Amino acid sequence: MSEFKVKFRGVRGSFPVADKRFLQYGGNTACVEVNAGGHIIILDAGTGIVKVGDELIENYISSNINPQDRKSINATILLSHIHQDHLLGLTFFKPMHIPSSKISIFGGGISEVADLKENLSTLVFGKTFPLDLGDIACDIDVQNLVKGDAIVLKPDQKPVLISENNLNPEDDDVVITYYKSYVHPQDGVIMYKISYKDKSLVYATDKECYFGGDKKFIQFAKNCDLLIHDAQYTAEDYLNSHSPKQGYGHSTYDMALEAMHQTNAKNLVFFHYEPSYDDAKLDRIKELVTSTNKNAQMSYEGLEINIE
């Protein structure tokens, strides 16, 4: 299976919204589902991940009438950081509660020395959920990413960590590399690149841009086929004299476009919308930022893109 498909499941930032004025673009928080070479890769676990899990369970049940003969659910979850809007849906991801599921979670801790598994256990499970992380039914593997790591997914195998210096991918391998930036308070954010068959996707949420561009990120994302970039604020909100958003760790639409041009990305998708921006406002923004940028588009729940 050689497809490389992307489906947006949650495109909102900060907190989810449920209101008729938000139906067109959606109110769920950050989650992007990627199917590369038959591997299910989930970027962030905001409330959008709940629908991913529901559909995976439907496919699991329909795969065989006998539970013991059903095809197990295998998924890799990549966490950009552990702010609540990127974790709100994790405990309600139904495949985690099926014993046959195999779920791998990668990300960073609160700091370079913090343990991701410990942080998830403390922040997401236990006191804020009826089950502790150790009570989760599935085969779950939580791993910290260390600088210089890459994740390699081979056909019909669990993902493995390997040093980027030792990478020698085969044709059917999916390779995931990452770049950590400290522009997002309090402890930075991880940006991921998913590469498969000479095509690449870069996921850059919760990223504020530097004056002149983030040179390390530009090099990391150079010539990618699809750039998913934070665009939480309009320039007016970002620079508002009464409540400026500088230093909040988020970009404007102009910043995202500049990142597209500097990285030479083939296509750009705006992502992680301010929760107060309803459909009418996002439509006005769309008119302004996509009319003269034919390779840029707004994300919305259910948007599917084939990377070809």
Side-chain angles (χ1 to χ4, degrees):
M1 186 179 296
S2 59
E3 66 179 6
F4 194 174
K5 296 176 65 176
V6 182
K7 187 168 185 177
F8 289 80
R9 298 296 195 155
V11 301
R12 194 68 56 172
S14 300
F15 57 85
V17 288
D19 186 281
K20 63 182 181 181
R21 296 178 299 116
F22 296 83
L23 295 176
Q24 181 178 339
Y25 293 90
N28 283 302
T29 60
C31 181
V32 178
E33 179 187 0
V34 179
N35 190 313
H39 298 281
I40 299 167
I41 304 165
I42 302 169
L43 292 156
D44 275 326
T47 53
I49 200 175
V50 177
K51 183 64 174 178
V52 182
D54 291 347
E55 292 183 7
L56 289 175
I57 289 295
E58 289 177 6
N59 293 335
Y60 167 74
I61 292 172
S62 64
S63 67
N64 201 293
I65 193 171
N66 299 313
Q68 64 271 20
D69 295 323
R70 289 171 181 162
K71 185 177 180 181
S72 64
I73 298 171
N74 303 325
T76 300
I77 300 174
L78 306 175
L79 299 177
S80 62
H81 61 312
I82 55 175
H83 286 175
Q84 63 176 358
D85 53 329
H86 294 255
L87 293 175
L88 280 170
L90 185 60
T91 52
F92 301 99
F93 182 59
K94 289 180 181 177
M96 294 184 68
H97 306 289
I98 303 296
S100 62
S101 298
K102 297 178 178 61
I103 309 295
S104 298
I105 302 177
F106 295 91
I110 292 177
S111 69
E112 290 293 339
V113 296
D115 181 74
L116 178 61
K117 188 172 184 179
E118 180 181 342
N119 289 329
L120 291 180
S121 181
T122 302
L123 297 172
V124 182
F125 296 88
K127 292 182 179 180
T128 60
F129 190 70
L131 299 177
D132 288 322
L133 183 57
D135 297 327
I136 297 302
C138 74
D139 177 2
I140 188 169
D141 182 27
V142 182
Q143 296 196 53
N144 295 312
L145 289 173
V146 178
K147 186 175 182 179
D149 281 345
I151 305 166
V152 178
L153 289 80
K154 292 182 174 293
D156 301 317
Q157 294 183 27
K158 291 183 68 174
V160 295
L161 281 175
I162 188 171
S163 169
E164 283 191 72
N165 295 329
N166 296 326
L167 277 177
N168 187 25
E170 298 178 357
D171 186 55
D172 289 329
D173 290 352
V174 177
V175 176
I176 302 167
T177 51
Y178 83 97
Y179 161 63
K180 185 167 185 179
S181 169
Y182 290 91
V183 295
H184 192 71
Q186 299 283 338
D187 297 286
V189 62
I190 295 175
M191 282 149 277
Y192 292 98
K193 180 193 293 180
I194 302 173
S195 301
Y196 179 59
K197 291 190 178 294
D198 298 320
K199 302 293 181 181
S200 63
L201 170 162
V202 171
Y203 177 75
T205 188
D206 291 61
K207 179 191 182 307
E208 190 167 357
C209 291
Y210 297 118
F211 174 75
D214 181 339
K215 300 306 180 185
K216 291 182 179 179
F217 172 73
I218 292 167
Q219 185 59 39
F220 172 75
K222 201 73 174 177
N223 299 320
C224 64
D225 294 277
L226 177 64
L227 173 60
I228 302 170
H229 198 286
D230 187 288
Q232 179 141 344
Y233 301 119
T234 62
E236 291 77 14
D237 281 347
Y238 183 78
L239 298 172
N240 185 297
S241 59
H242 298 289
S243 179
K245 304 303 189 296
Q246 288 177 324
Y248 280 28
H250 294 288
S251 286
T252 67
Y253 293 84
D254 290 336
M255 289 175 180
L257 285 167
E258 182 63 22
M260 174 191 179
H261 296 145
Q262 291 193 358
T263 61
N264 196 38
K266 293 180 180 177
N267 298 283
L268 167 68
V269 178
F270 299 108
F271 185 71
H272 204 272
Y273 302 136
E274 158 65 32
S276 67
Y277 292 2
D278 62 12
D279 291 339
K281 179 156 186 171
L282 289 174
D283 276 344
R284 292 194 297 271
I285 293 171
K286 177 182 177 181
E287 179 71 20
L288 288 171
V289 299
T290 65
S291 59
T292 57
N293 297 280
K294 65 177 183 179
N295 293 331
Q297 64 179 307
M298 306 288 282
S299 61
Y300 58 86
E301 287 183 28
L303 171 64
E304 296 187 47
I305 297 175
N306 290 323
I307 302 177
E308 299 174 332

